[in-house]
Amino acid sequence: MARFTFTSESVSEGHPDKVCDYISDSILDACFEQDPQSRVACETLCKSDTVVIAGEITTRATLDYDRIVRQAVKDIGYTDESEPFCDTTLTLVSIITQQSPQISQGVTATTSLSGDQGAGDQGIMFGYATDESPEMMPLPILLAHRLTKGMAEDRKAGRVTFLRPDSKSQVSVVYDDNNPVEVSTVVVSTQHTPDVNQKAIAAYVREDLGPRVLGEWWRPNVALHVNPTGDFSLGGPSADAGVTGRKIIVDTYGGWGRHGGGAFSGKDPSKVDRSSAYYCRFVAREVVLAGLARKAEIQVGYAIGLARPVSVKVDTFGTGDERAAEAFVTNAFDFRPRAIIERLDLLRPIFRQTTNYGHFGRPGLPWEVAEKAAAVAK
């Protein structure tokens, strides 16, 4: 297609599903702060005044789930006691057991039939990178994240007093010959105080937020839709239910790169749903940085309990030398779970910072750091 429009969405940290992701990752980090060998698979559900945490956790850490959950909710900004969902008044229900010993024996190197740390489950994982932005991310999801993150920063800094934690954005980008050329449509929906009207919120987005966070991609005549229903004063878990793992496209590439279906939050890196997806992104970046392609996607497949993947595939979408890219990936990268964990240094409490505004394309994360392998490939 010579010319087309692609749209991606983002949601804020106050979206009910993201509240759950953040709670689950907060519990994971709390485990790793005391015990780097923790095995964690934690799911969260929130609605009205109740938070339910459930899953399998095997750890030597001593955890105060009530404190962790309330602090996570407070971090997000749900602190208004007049609302059903509030850090100080919520009710916590905990349904946590230990990891199944049948899974553990396949994941633990000393008991695995392969003699190495096996994959925590079967599944397929994808990683994607493109040279269309400095962050090596598809532009629509990158810009959508800037809008939701910008609103959260304005709210927490007290710059815009009518904003509340729950919000969404959506950005449509026009491509010509596979290159982004302009933003055609922006949609922003944000929870707000009851005393502000739609017109005032639209003015904030049009005159302040949009130009400031989208920079060169903002234009005054962009098609802009702000709170299209007219009123969004009821939001967050007080009004809607949230569940861990329901925003997997927001978490990754906004629908551009393919997705294997596994969620990230609440899972320790023995779960390849998370660690291998991070590694595939790392490897895809290296392929592009090596000059082997302008766009690259890595797919890896695993069988539970086995260390080596059952398949590794490289796709450059006709933008480079696919055979050279495949040889580079085969020779330079080890996709065994233990090798991934060691190379990215994943047995530490770094996961709560990944929860919101995308797991990729953000500085400071180990899978977003270039290595010398790319230079060697040149």
Side-chain angles (χ1 to χ4, degrees):
M1 298 175 63
R3 191 174 179 90
F4 62 91
T5 301
F6 195 89
T7 303
S8 295
E9 74 156 343
S10 173
V11 300
S12 73
E13 60 210 67
H15 185 284
D17 293 332
K18 277 291 148 194
V19 171
C20 294
D21 286 346
Y22 189 67
I23 290 172
S24 294
D25 276 338
S26 294
I27 291 171
L28 171 61
D29 274 4
C31 290
F32 272 10
E33 285 168 1
Q34 299 180 48
D35 179 11
Q37 301 303 318
S38 296
R39 298 277 172 80
V40 180
C42 182
E43 314 288 339
T44 303
L45 178 148
C46 64
K47 178 67 179 88
S48 299
D49 63 348
T50 302
V51 172
V52 179
I53 56 173
E56 301 78 47
I57 297 178
T58 299
T59 182
R60 291 171 295 186
T62 301
L63 302 177
D64 183 344
Y65 290 120
D66 188 80
R67 183 192 63 79
I68 295 167
V69 170
R70 292 183 192 279
Q71 184 61 52
V73 173
K74 182 178 180 181
D75 290 346
I76 295 166
Y78 286 113
T79 58
D80 185 350
E81 293 188 357
S82 69
E83 296 288 333
F85 191 74
C86 174
D87 67 315
T88 57
T89 61
L90 64 82
T91 298
L92 176 62
V93 178
S94 177
I95 313 170
I96 301 290
T97 63
Q98 291 196 334
Q99 182 182 58
S100 163
Q102 294 176 340
I103 295 176
S104 178
Q105 71 182 7
V107 176
T108 304
T110 55
T111 57
S112 170
L113 295 178
S114 68
D116 196 353
Q117 179 172 339
D121 201 352
Q122 70 174 46
I124 55 174
M125 294 84 214
F126 290 91
Y128 180 80
T130 173
D131 67 356
E132 72 182 57
S133 68
E135 295 85 354
M136 304 183 73
M137 289 288 288
L139 191 63
I141 186 66
L142 188 69
L143 299 182
H145 284 322
R146 288 182 188 175
L147 289 166
T148 49
K149 190 170 186 285
M151 285 188 285
E153 290 172 347
D154 286 348
R155 171 176 59 86
K156 291 183 173 182
R159 290 188 67 245
V160 183
T161 57
F162 58 73
L163 293 173
R164 289 297 178 263
D166 192 358
S167 67
K168 291 183 176 183
S169 70
Q170 191 169 280
V171 175
S172 301
V173 175
V174 178
Y175 284 76
D176 195 351
D177 195 25
N178 280 315
N179 295 308
V181 293
E182 68 176 9
V183 172
S184 59
T185 306
V186 170
V187 182
V188 171
S189 294
T190 180
Q191 183 188 8
H192 57 84
T193 56
D195 59 336
V196 69
N197 59 38
Q198 183 189 30
K199 184 177 179 180
I201 301 171
Y204 156 68
V205 176
R206 182 182 299 106
E207 299 168 12
D208 181 5
L209 179 71
R212 176 161 47 89
V213 303
L214 299 190
E216 63 178 326
W217 292 103
W218 177 262
R219 55 190 181 88
N221 61 339
V222 67
L224 178 64
H225 305 280
V226 178
N227 283 21
T229 66
D231 189 358
F232 188 7
S233 57
L234 301 176
S238 293
D240 194 7
V243 179
T244 298
R246 287 204 299 198
K247 289 294 176 284
I248 58 176
I249 301 304
V250 171
D251 286 344
T252 52
Y253 308 102
W256 192 285
R258 284 174 281 195
H259 198 296
F264 299 157
S265 290
K267 296 178 181 177
D268 76 83
S270 72
K271 280 74 173 172
V272 284
D273 276 344
R274 187 170 209 165
S275 56
S276 183
Y278 289 171
Y279 196 61
C280 286
R281 160 67 176 175
F282 171 76
V283 174
R285 276 175 45 91
E286 292 287 297
V287 170
V288 175
L289 289 169
L292 297 171
R294 292 188 57 207
K295 303 178 190 295
E297 182 180 74
I298 312 297
Q299 188 216 43
V300 180
Y302 290 92
I304 188 170
L306 300 185
R308 296 193 179 278
V310 298
S311 66
V312 178
K313 182 180 184 298
V314 181
D315 192 342
T316 60
F317 307 97
T319 67
D321 187 337
E322 199 153 291
R323 185 166 295 181
E326 288 177 349
F328 171 55
V329 170
T330 299
N331 294 329
F333 302 99
D334 187 343
F335 287 86
R336 292 175 301 147
R338 177 184 287 188
I340 291 171
I341 290 168
E342 290 177 355
R343 188 158 188 174
L344 299 182
D345 191 16
L346 295 180
L347 296 182
R348 50 196 176 112
I350 62 171
F351 298 101
R352 183 166 49 183
Q353 65 180 298
T354 70
T355 310
N356 297 300
Y357 314 112
H359 291 244
F360 307 125
R362 294 164 48 201
L365 300 174
W367 46 94
E368 297 295 319
V369 177
E371 282 202 349
K372 295 179 181 179
V376 170
K378 292 181 179 180

